[in-house]
Amino acid sequence: MTMIATQTDRAAKTMTEHRVAASRLVSLDAFRGATMLFMASEILRIPQVARKFPDSAVARFFASTMDHREWVGCAPWDLIQPAFMFMVGVSLPFSIARRTERGDSFARQLVHSIYRALILIALGIFLRSQARPQTYFTFEDVLTQIGLGYVFLFLLAWTKPRIQWIAAAIILVGYWAAFALYPLPPAGFDTATVGVRPDWPHHLTGFAAHWDKNTNLANRVDQWFLNLFPRQRPFVFNGGGYLTLNFVPSLATMIFGLLAGELLRSERTAMQKVRALVVYGLGGLAVGAALHLLGICPLVKRIWTPSWAIYSAGWVSLMLAGLYYIVDVQGYRRWTFPFLVIGMNSIAMYVLVHVTADYIIGSLRIHLGRGLFEIFGQPFAPITVGAATLLIMWLILLWMYRRQIFLRI
């Protein structure tokens, strides 16, 4: 009787795990929503507020956590874009399966992928052009980066995982070699001419100097490529060091997501999937960190070095494994609702943040007065008014969610 009961329990567990695989994965939408909310929290201006309290260890922690690293290293804030791009790859196998099931041919899906890529590129440029006197042609925005690599990702989605692994390896090794072979600036070169102070404390030296700010291969490519478009003034450098060619190694990030998505759609049991994501995640952290520590390739998010592509994918894989286990395997889903509202309309949230944030903040101050938002003290006013703005955006998305209005591209 005990043996029969045990076998019955195992069978029930297996059936539950396969239902998890077959049903919509709530964890994916929740993860996407949490990522977008973290990104949108930029309007809270937490790092700027925290820096007003230099003697506070807590303030210093938040200032460091909620902002990008100047150049080398990784902060939680740096993981927003890798998470978003990784999730593009994760979602693609589900999208292809759904479209194939409804009868869309490969050709029709390919045309749609090209259309989607062009819209993402155009939307990214449009959003970056806000408050500028003319169209600001720039391609380092997350939407344009996704768009530049999306068709290649779509084509790879129709190949076997082995081909996808090989493609990611070729991309990362090739990109590393291109930077490593590009000549360093001559001795005595004034980096101030490319927007970097000579005494900037984050300069890279030795072999790592091939990935230094604004003197690398990709910045030279942008000095040619971006000046093909009409501009207010000739492009010389990006103040943050961000580059158009980042889309090449970030395509590898999306490929890693693609592999994770195919894993989640596979016939493996739920726990086998969790373990695989954890192994991939730990492996990514180990390999990425080793490439950095051994001096082979520094860990720089702003130029998406190959070590960063691997390292950041490791973190995202671990986070996805945790969410998938808690939400879809264990079934704790109710708490995810606020994130689902955003995750089901992530593009809408991205547009709202870039187009309406300043308008909403200004309107709140006009109609409710500045004093209301200084209830915790004047230094914390940006956080208070930012939180009210985020709430309004979320309520807009909630209205859309309840009416099944989802912005899709």
Side-chain angles (χ1 to χ4, degrees), residues 93 190 228:
D190 183 8
L228 297 176

Side-chain angles (χ1 to χ4, degrees), residues 122 205 373 376:
T205 58
F373 301 106
F376 301 112

Side-chain angles (χ1 to χ4, degrees), residues 85-342:
M85 302 191 80
F86 189 94
M87 291 306 294
V88 171
V90 172
S91 302
L92 188 53
F94 294 90
S95 175
I96 289 176
R98 185 171 60 253
R99 288 179 173 274
T100 301
E101 186 176 345
R102 77 183 187 190
D104 288 2
S105 65
F106 169 80
R108 184 185 180 106
Q109 293 185 55
L110 175 60
V111 170
H112 178 265
S113 73
I114 296 171
Y115 163 81
R116 190 180 195 202
L118 293 174
I119 292 296
L120 287 170
I121 293 170
L123 183 58
I125 293 172
F126 170 78
L127 294 175
R128 290 287 179 170
S129 301
Q130 299 297 300
R132 292 182 179 271
Q134 67 181 70
T135 303
Y136 181 56
F137 288 97
T138 184
F139 299 86
E140 86 279 359
D141 179 86
V142 61
L143 295 185
T144 53
Q145 290 280 294
I146 293 170
L148 289 170
Y150 189 75
V151 176
F152 300 103
L153 181 72
F154 171 81
L155 294 173
L156 282 170
W158 294 82
T159 65
K160 295 180 179 180
R162 182 172 63 88
I163 301 299
Q164 296 163 9
W165 281 111
I166 292 173
I170 291 174
I171 289 169
L172 295 178
V173 173
Y175 199 70
W176 172 86
F179 269 66
L181 294 173
Y182 184 74
L184 295 174
F189 176 77
D190 183 8
T191 58
T193 61
V194 287
V196 187
R197 303 190 325 269
D199 61 346
W200 188 54
H202 307 285
H203 274 298
L204 297 175
T205 58
F207 181 65
H210 288 279
W211 291 271
D212 204 11
K213 185 176 180 179
N214 295 342
T215 57
N216 54 66
L217 167 67
N219 187 74
R220 182 67 189 91
V221 171
D222 269 351
Q223 289 175 347
W224 162 75
F225 176 67
L226 294 180
N227 285 311
L228 297 176
F229 300 91
R231 314 187 69 81
Q232 282 183 275
R233 61 185 65 87
F235 176 87
V236 180
F237 61 86
N238 180 289
Y242 300 102
L243 306 163
T244 300
L245 282 184
N246 283 5
F247 88 89
V248 177
S250 66
L251 173 57
T253 302
M254 293 194 289
I255 294 173
F256 293 143
L258 175 66
L259 288 158
E262 290 170 343
L263 169 69
L264 292 174
R265 285 199 72 251
S266 71
E267 293 299 320
R268 297 191 194 185
T269 66
M271 287 310 301
Q272 286 175 333
K273 295 172 186 178
V274 171
R275 285 191 288 269
L277 287 172
V278 169
V279 169
Y280 292 155
L282 295 175
L285 293 181
V287 173
L291 290 172
H292 171 75
L293 295 173
L294 293 173
I296 298 172
C297 183
L299 207 62
V300 185
K301 182 265 178 188
R302 292 173 185 259
I303 58 174
W304 220 277
T305 56
S307 57
W308 170 258
I310 298 169
Y311 183 81
S312 60
W315 275 118
V316 178
S317 183
L318 289 175
M319 289 186 283
L320 179 59
L323 264 180
Y324 174 69
Y325 176 75
I326 294 169
V327 176
D328 289 311
V329 179
Q330 294 298 315
Y332 297 111
R333 301 183 178 185
R334 185 172 298 180
W335 65 274
T336 65
F337 179 74
F339 303 111
L340 288 178
V341 169
I342 301 173

